[in-house]
Amino acid sequence: MKKFTIPAALIFIAFGLNSCKKLEEVPSDKDIRMEWWRDAKFGMFIHWGLYAIPAGEWKGEKLEKGKIGEWIMNSLDIDTSEYEKLANEFNPFKFDAKEWVKIAKDAGMKYIVITSKHHDGFSLWDSKVSDYDIIDASPYKRDILMELTNAANEAGIKMCFYYSIMDWHHPDAESPKDYKHQNNPDANWDNYRDNYMIPQITELVKKYKPAVMWFDGEWIPEWTEEQGKDLYKYLMQLDPNLIINNRISKAREGMSGMNKYDDAAGDFGTPEQEILEETSEFDWESCMTMNDTWGYRKDDDNWKSSEQLIENLIDVTAKGGNYLLNIGPMANGEIPQESISRLKDIGDWVKINGEAIYSSSRWKPFKQENIYFTLSKDKKFIYAILTENISEDHIKINGFLPKEDSEIIHLSTNKKVKWEKISDSQFSLDTLKIEDFGVAQTFKIRVN
Ligand code: FHN
């Protein structure tokens, strides 16, 4: 229901006046704030909104191959007055928050980030400053964000919200200089920001207490680093435990997602559809689709294999990042079967090998030929994750030695593995000639 929350806007403006100073936080405080996130490693991204209805096709016209479903309004140049009618049809009668959370949990995901509002401007909760939301504009009239938050809390999964700064629906954010389907030359960005966007974000943080606010759509010229810093500072006052991605600022370096300058607002970098080549000192999370689209497209069948997704998780973890893997549910509330089956495969792998992933940190080097390494939180174990079977019965590992007289355990079989010192920095390890190799095999090596 629409009701302006002026106080939130005023608080934000007040911060804005004396802002630009970076939020003062000592590194150890940041370490405490980030601890659960760094341990989590694996999360579910959910892109869900009105765009799931056209699912890549508008009045018989199909999106080109490779175009993403949630951008249909822009890609097919659909007028706001036409697109917004989709809200009358949004009735996901098969949506089951507990089921979604269970699918994420069984896959080994520790947090969920859902699009509370994507670029199309439609909100998945009952926003007090908007009529363009699930309660006021759709026949469904259920607070999707609250149902997911409750289910996630119950399951011990952290609930997080994506929020698009750019908004193709609000008249004051609809400047034609940004996109051709926008048509308000008198758009008043400050009005949108202070009386709509900030109150919406405030509602989300206060009412649902998300663990992460995941911003996007920051590249438009109306948004500046200064506004990003103001918003970061404001949100940290609202909830000092909140974690915020770097897209609150202007520092993101294209799809590689890391910051192109220092002192930008935000806690972690956001490579998109990419995995960093090397590790980074700055926290990062690689977000990725399972096929080519974020929002559901009925004709997108370019699915990555389960093997590829598991190897991505290993690769990201070994390089010290998090992996945020996307699903694009259908308009009726169902998750595509192709996504469910891949998540099940990943879940099966992490059930056995998860201790090499969760709470681990990176080991240098993170990889030696086809062996990835991670280090346990207590630094007692190095995990060697072999991603390709080898014909020999042993592998040589360089750079460290197992603790004297210790045992190496093969996680899939729980068998003890023979090892032999070759030199002060090299040993060989019996790979057991694994017949049913699967995607990757983990060896747990005691080092301290
Ligand atoms: O434009 C969006 C896109 O639709 C999707 O939400 C991705 C996810 O990271 N981010 C944007 C582009 O950077």
Side-chain angles (χ1 to χ4, degrees):
M1 235 230 306
K2 194 165 181 158
K3 200 173 97 212
F4 281 90
T5 50
I6 297 299
L10 288 179
I11 296 166
F12 179 69
I13 292 163
F15 274 115
L17 292 176
N18 67 357
S19 66
C20 275
K21 273 192 286 157
K22 195 169 169 17
L23 187 86
E24 274 125 44
E25 185 185 47
V26 292
S28 56
D29 283 347
K30 183 169 180 190
D31 288 342
I32 294 169
R33 190 162 56 86
M34 298 292 291
E35 188 175 1
W36 76 262
W37 186 91
R38 289 176 183 159
D39 287 349
K41 303 292 178 211
F42 190 28
M44 174 182 272
F45 213 175
I46 306 178
H47 276 70
W48 200 37
L50 299 183
Y51 39 81
I53 300 172
E57 183 176 342
W58 185 261
K59 297 187 175 161
E61 189 181 355
K62 284 194 178 143
L63 274 179
E64 269 170 46
K65 223 177 155 48
K67 294 258 180 200
I68 43 185
E70 72 284 2
W71 272 71
I72 193 165
M73 188 177 175
N74 169 274
S75 301
L76 297 186
D77 203 6
I78 304 167
D79 198 76
T80 309
S81 58
E82 276 299 301
Y83 183 89
E84 68 183 6
K85 288 184 195 151
L86 288 172
N88 303 326
E89 287 173 52
F90 195 60
N91 194 14
F93 59 96
K94 290 199 170 162
F95 168 65
D96 179 345
K98 286 193 175 164
E99 184 59 23
W100 283 20
V101 169
K102 187 176 180 319
I103 289 170
K105 190 169 179 161
D106 289 349
M109 292 159 149
K110 305 292 185 189
Y111 59 107
I112 294 175
V113 183
I114 187 169
T115 47
S116 65
K117 183 196 84 167
H118 202 266
H119 309 332
D120 69 358
F122 184 74
S123 304
L124 290 184
W125 81 101
D126 183 18
S127 173
K128 300 285 171 273
V129 292
S130 182
D131 288 336
Y132 194 47
D133 67 42
I134 187 82
I135 303 290
D136 298 317
S138 86
Y140 192 57
K141 304 210 180 304
R142 274 166 52 183
D143 185 340
I144 286 166
L145 296 193
M146 191 48 93
E147 291 186 25
L148 276 169
T149 300
N150 290 340
N153 287 345
E154 215 171 279
I157 300 277
K158 301 268 187 191
M159 197 63 215
C160 316
F161 296 145
Y162 167 110
Y163 185 92
S164 173
I165 292 167
M166 171 167 80
D167 190 309
W168 295 334
H169 183 266
H170 194 288
D172 279 327
E174 255 207 281
S175 169
K177 65 177 188 287
D178 298 339
Y179 287 105
K180 62 180 184 334
H181 65 94
Q182 306 200 136
N183 45 25
N184 183 7
D186 301 322
N188 177 347
W189 176 260
D190 290 0
N191 188 40
Y192 159 74
R193 183 195 61 209
D194 296 338
N195 294 315
Y196 191 84
M197 185 182 107
I198 303 298
Q200 280 210 319
I201 298 167
T202 306
E203 286 173 13
L204 289 171
V205 173
K206 282 192 167 170
K207 186 168 174 190
Y208 303 86
K209 305 190 180 12
V212 176
M213 278 304 294
W214 209 104
F215 290 98
D216 201 3
E218 83 291 10
W219 57 83
I220 48 172
E222 290 85 348
W223 190 246
T224 61
E225 181 66 42
E226 193 186 357
Q227 292 175 59
K229 283 206 170 76
D230 289 347
L231 180 56
Y232 182 89
K233 200 167 168 187
Y234 167 65
L235 289 176
M236 294 309 287
Q237 302 278 348
L238 268 191
D239 179 359
N241 293 320
L242 195 62
I243 294 174
I244 301 171
N245 70 341
N246 68 342
R247 299 187 188 181
I248 195 172
S249 81
K250 298 288 280 191
R252 153 158 81 128
E253 178 115 64
M255 292 301 169
S256 78
M258 301 305 277
N259 291 346
K260 53 178 181 261
Y261 50 81
D262 290 339
D263 198 33
D267 298 316
F268 62 92
T270 49
E272 180 167 324
Q273 305 284 35
E274 287 185 15
I275 296 175
L276 296 187
E277 291 286 320
E278 293 291 328
T279 56
S280 165
E281 288 309 313
F282 190 55
D283 290 295
W284 61 282
E285 176 195 65
S286 169
C287 57
M288 205 178 276
T289 51
M290 289 194 208
N291 49 0
D292 288 336
T293 185
W294 301 93
Y296 180 63
R297 256 191 87 158
K298 57 188 170 209
D299 59 350
D300 183 346
D301 52 10
N302 192 22
W303 296 95
K304 297 175 185 71
S305 66
S306 300
E307 290 73 24
Q308 181 62 62
L309 296 171
I310 293 168
E311 184 158 353
N312 287 349
L313 174 63
I314 298 167
D315 189 15
V316 170
T317 305
K319 291 172 182 164
N322 279 12
Y323 194 40
L324 185 64
L325 186 58
N326 185 71
I327 58 163
M330 296 183 261
N332 67 3
E334 283 180 322
I335 298 172
Q337 271 313 316
E338 292 87 343
S339 302
I340 294 179
S341 64
R342 281 160 181 77
L343 291 172
K344 159 107 185 36
D345 291 342
I346 302 172
D348 289 346
W349 187 84
V350 294
K351 266 176 208 101
I352 293 167
N353 301 277
E355 64 171 279
I357 301 291
Y358 305 116
S359 305
S360 68
S361 55
R362 59 197 152 90
W363 172 255
K364 258 187 172 171
F366 62 85
K367 196 177 181 191
Q368 229 176 72
E369 288 163 23
N370 56 2
I371 312 165
Y372 288 91
F373 297 106
T374 62
L375 178 67
S376 66
K377 199 167 184 171
D378 59 12
K379 304 201 180 340
K380 285 187 176 160
F381 299 96
I382 288 178
Y383 296 93
I385 311 172
L386 196 61
T387 52
E388 250 173 66
N389 207 351
I390 49 165
S391 46
E392 299 101 89
D393 56 6
H394 70 279
I395 44 172
K396 284 182 185 158
I397 293 183
N398 304 315
F400 68 93
L401 286 181
K403 194 174 154 74
E404 233 176 36
D405 298 328
S406 68
E407 288 163 348
I408 294 180
I409 306 291
H410 174 230
L411 292 188
S412 297
T413 55
N414 222 9
K415 277 192 188 155
K416 290 174 196 153
V417 178
K418 284 196 214 115
W419 66 274
E420 212 174 299
K421 180 173 167 178
I422 300 173
S423 73
D424 281 350
S425 62
Q426 193 184 48
F427 65 102
S428 80
L429 176 156
D430 179 351
T431 52
L432 296 172
K433 286 224 176 101
I434 304 151
E435 269 172 32
D436 185 14
F437 186 84
V439 186
Q441 298 286 326
T442 307
F443 297 91
K444 180 179 182 181
I445 306 164
R446 177 97 200 214
V447 283
N448 279 308

